[in-house]
Amino acid sequence: MPVPDADIHPEATGPAKALVASHQAEQPLKFYAGWFCPFVQRVWLALEEKQIPYQYIEVNPYHKAPSFLALNPRGLVPTITSPDESGSARPLYESTVILEYLEEAYPTHTPALLPKDAYLRARARIWIDYVTSRIIPAFHRFLQHQPTPASSSPDTKQTGRGGGGGGGGGDELHSLREEFRATLKEFARELHPQGPYFLGEELSLVDVVLAPWAVRLWVFDEFKGGLGVPAPGEADSEEEERVWARWRRWVAAVEGRRSVRETLSERDWYLPIYQRYAEDKAQSELARAVRKGRGVP
């Protein structure tokens, strides 16, 4: 039986299409990617920020070609290959592993996305782990939540805009919204006071690992009745007002990066992908892991 996710649009669109077209020439570093994938976008951001030459190769991970499986037995994107001294391609996968590799393997390509100071470097790794182990699973628990049959009603079914309160389904959705928003607030508390980025004026890997999800927060307006981050002046306390002001400043800074803008496709092509997540029908490893009550695979 075919996997519905395999029917995704086959190529990047909008700004990302132009960027893909400019990276088709042969390069030693080959970047096996899926235009739609936030984990891919993490690596893509680093490649663009550091201006590391790469060849972009589009892969549909739901059609696992034998040649790609030879590089990554799990058949997942992102995957990169970098040749050794003999010219043999050496594959690497897992986005955070690739990000660290790019920092170490291309030290002359700036900006450096991890600080030189040992303490700050360790602190960055703590919050990179927080994004992966806490924020992203909470994002998907909220997005993939379905009301129980007994609590489903026109007010609590999670299709289109809405999915608000009323009944057990609404209570569950509200709890998951609160849980996800709490992870963002904890992250925002740790942001540099002046920012705009996590460690201060310069972008770091902490920003890179969360940015692809930050620019996809619109999915909650589309499918789950909104995220509920308070607008300026509407927080419950002065302390919360300061925290959410930091968050808004960070999001604005991330959204303004050329690397972020140019690695995004047109929103219309993301909609059917995220609708499957919102209906809990997506078949990605992450979707299945969340469905089974686990974290990021």
Side-chain angles (χ1 to χ4, degrees):
M1 184 175 179
V3 178
D5 293 16
D7 294 331
I8 56 175
H9 191 68
E11 61 184 8
T13 61
K17 182 175 183 178
L19 189 59
V20 168
S22 69
H23 285 278
Q24 292 302 295
E26 188 81 19
Q27 292 289 349
L29 190 152
K30 301 188 185 306
F31 177 39
Y32 295 85
W35 65 266
F36 56 89
C37 176
F39 293 99
V40 163
Q41 194 180 12
R42 283 175 161 179
V43 174
W44 208 356
L45 294 178
L47 289 169
E48 284 297 309
E49 289 287 343
K50 298 175 77 65
Q51 289 294 287
I52 297 170
Y54 64 93
Q55 179 183 2
Y56 182 102
I57 300 170
E58 187 71 43
V59 173
N60 184 332
Y62 303 103
H63 290 303
K64 303 182 191 299
S67 58
F68 182 59
L69 287 172
L71 299 173
N72 182 344
R74 295 177 68 189
L76 301 177
V77 290
T79 295
I80 66 168
T81 59
S82 184
D84 61 18
E85 293 179 358
S86 69
S88 299
R90 300 174 298 174
L92 284 174
Y93 37 91
E94 303 297 339
S95 62
T96 53
V97 172
I98 295 173
L99 290 172
E100 293 252 5
Y101 168 78
L102 294 176
E103 282 298 293
E104 295 173 4
Y106 296 87
T108 62
H109 285 259
T110 56
L113 296 175
L114 281 174
K116 292 182 179 179
D117 179 83
Y119 173 80
L120 291 178
R121 202 176 182 95
R123 184 169 180 269
R125 288 189 173 109
I126 288 172
W127 287 95
I128 289 168
D129 178 74
Y130 181 85
V131 170
T132 299
S133 65
R134 297 287 300 282
I135 294 180
I136 295 171
F139 178 108
H140 279 272
R141 282 192 292 271
F142 178 24
L143 181 60
Q144 292 175 227
H145 172 70
Q146 301 299 298
T148 58
S151 63
S152 295
S153 71
D155 290 332
T156 61
K157 289 180 181 177
Q158 294 152 33
T159 55
R161 295 182 183 274
D171 291 343
E172 293 166 3
L173 185 67
H174 175 74
S175 295
L176 291 168
R177 178 184 288 111
E178 289 290 312
E179 176 198 36
F180 176 54
R181 200 164 56 222
T183 66
L184 299 184
K185 187 159 67 172
E186 186 68 20
F187 180 87
R189 283 197 182 99
E190 295 296 322
L191 286 166
H192 188 276
Q194 284 75 48
Y197 301 109
F198 189 85
L199 295 176
E201 294 182 357
E202 303 298 329
L203 189 79
S204 75
L205 286 188
V206 186
D207 309 298
V208 167
V209 297
L210 183 54
W213 283 266
V215 297
R216 287 164 171 77
L217 292 177
W218 57 265
V219 301
F220 298 111
D221 292 329
E222 191 70 33
F223 299 113
K224 299 293 172 175
L227 178 55
V229 170
E234 294 184 0
D236 292 337
S237 67
E238 290 185 9
E239 190 271 338
E240 287 216 351
E241 189 68 43
R242 287 192 295 271
V243 168
W244 289 120
R246 285 186 186 183
W247 171 254
R248 288 189 293 269
R249 183 174 60 228
W250 180 83
V251 171
V254 164
E255 290 177 337
R257 299 291 295 195
R258 178 199 62 81
S259 61
V260 173
R261 296 194 309 269
E262 294 185 1
T263 54
L264 285 171
S265 286
E266 295 166 336
R267 184 174 293 191
D268 284 353
W269 297 108
Y270 291 104
L271 280 169
I273 296 170
Y274 282 100
Q275 184 168 356
R276 285 196 284 273
Y277 278 97
E279 295 173 352
D280 202 20
K281 296 177 181 177
Q283 296 301 312
S284 69
E285 284 203 14
L286 174 57
R288 292 198 298 267
V290 169
R291 197 173 294 131
K292 293 176 180 177
R294 302 196 305 269
V296 175

